[in-house]
Amino acid sequence: MKHLFIIALFSIQFSVFSQEKSAATQFWDALSAHCGKAYEGKLVSPESDPRFAGRLVMHVRSCEDGRLRIPFFVGDDRSRTWVLTMEGDLIKLKHDHRHEDGSEDKITQYGGTASNTGFSAMQIFPADQETTDLIPYAAGNVWWITVDETSFTYNLRRTGSETFFSVKFDLTTPIELPQAPWGWAENSN
């Protein structure tokens, strides 16, 4: 009887353990909860940069099975989209850059895949070979995204340099999506 109790207890513990979601899946679920919503952000680092002047908005635009598309608007510039893809139990980040007509920029689809399941509130993406081939000086790039109940941050550190970029969005207050100055929604994939 004692053996049956131990086997039953082990089975219950194994069942509970096997039902836990990985940190990557928890991160994915937290971000997916914002699908269809837009949020305003602010530049954290550097404190000012003329390339990022204007209203900063992220829009968790589409949440397909295994893919999240998050356009990042800088004023009227809607050329940037962060694309997150779940591959097995790892998340891949790519940067989709487009022209106003929807065609791809020559510098696009760079990023990397997390080397492990990460943390439930943070995923880290070292530059992949595609990035290194496309932008050799970006071989040391490391991107990371954090998400919690109140904020989403997108960050970039270029190892071996002083480059550090960070933008933070307030997830507590969804905003109305600004009107497109050009047909972004129709032209992007």
Side-chain angles (χ1 to χ4, degrees):
M1 186 71 169
K2 184 177 178 182
H3 294 296
L4 286 175
F5 175 74
I6 291 172
I7 291 171
L9 183 61
F10 178 78
S11 296
I12 291 170
Q13 288 177 337
F14 180 77
S15 175
V16 169
F17 178 76
S18 66
Q19 291 179 7
E20 280 187 29
K21 292 182 178 181
S22 72
T25 301
Q26 292 174 47
F27 176 89
W28 190 269
D29 291 347
L31 191 50
S32 295
H34 297 280
C35 196
K37 297 177 185 170
Y39 302 96
E40 192 159 4
K42 65 178 181 173
L43 194 59
V44 176
S45 179
E47 289 182 22
S48 68
D49 184 330
R51 297 172 300 171
F52 294 94
R55 188 177 189 198
L56 304 179
V57 174
M58 67 173 274
H59 176 209
V60 186
R61 180 175 170 252
S62 69
C63 300
E64 306 160 26
D65 187 28
R67 179 167 296 167
L68 301 173
R69 297 184 58 76
I70 306 171
F72 170 40
F73 307 150
V74 178
D76 289 339
D77 181 352
R78 296 176 180 224
S79 64
R80 303 167 180 88
T81 300
W82 300 312
V83 181
L84 297 166
T85 306
M86 183 68 85
E87 295 185 342
D89 205 24
L90 300 177
I91 299 174
K92 176 172 66 174
L93 168 68
K94 288 292 183 172
H95 298 77
D96 186 352
H97 290 266
R98 302 211 170 237
H99 298 288
E100 289 184 23
D101 67 1
S103 63
E104 283 193 339
D105 190 88
K106 68 179 184 174
I107 305 293
T108 190
Q109 304 309 324
Y110 59 89
T113 301
S115 58
N116 57 43
T117 59
F119 303 102
S120 60
M122 180 173 63
Q123 292 291 305
I124 302 168
F125 311 96
D128 60 17
Q129 189 62 48
E130 182 178 6
T131 299
T132 301
D133 293 344
L134 181 65
I135 318 166
Y137 63 84
N141 280 9
V142 178
W143 296 271
W144 68 98
I145 294 174
T146 66
V147 64
D148 60 30
E149 297 80 26
T150 62
S151 65
F152 170 101
T153 65
Y154 166 91
N155 309 275
L156 163 65
R157 167 71 71 184
R158 180 163 296 138
T159 56
S161 82
E162 296 297 315
T163 301
F164 174 59
F165 176 83
S166 182
V167 62
K168 184 175 185 176
F169 298 88
D170 177 4
L171 297 182
T172 64
T173 309
I175 63 168
E176 289 295 318
L177 197 59
Q179 293 298 313
W182 44 273
W184 179 87
E186 296 82 19
N187 292 327
S188 66
N189 292 329

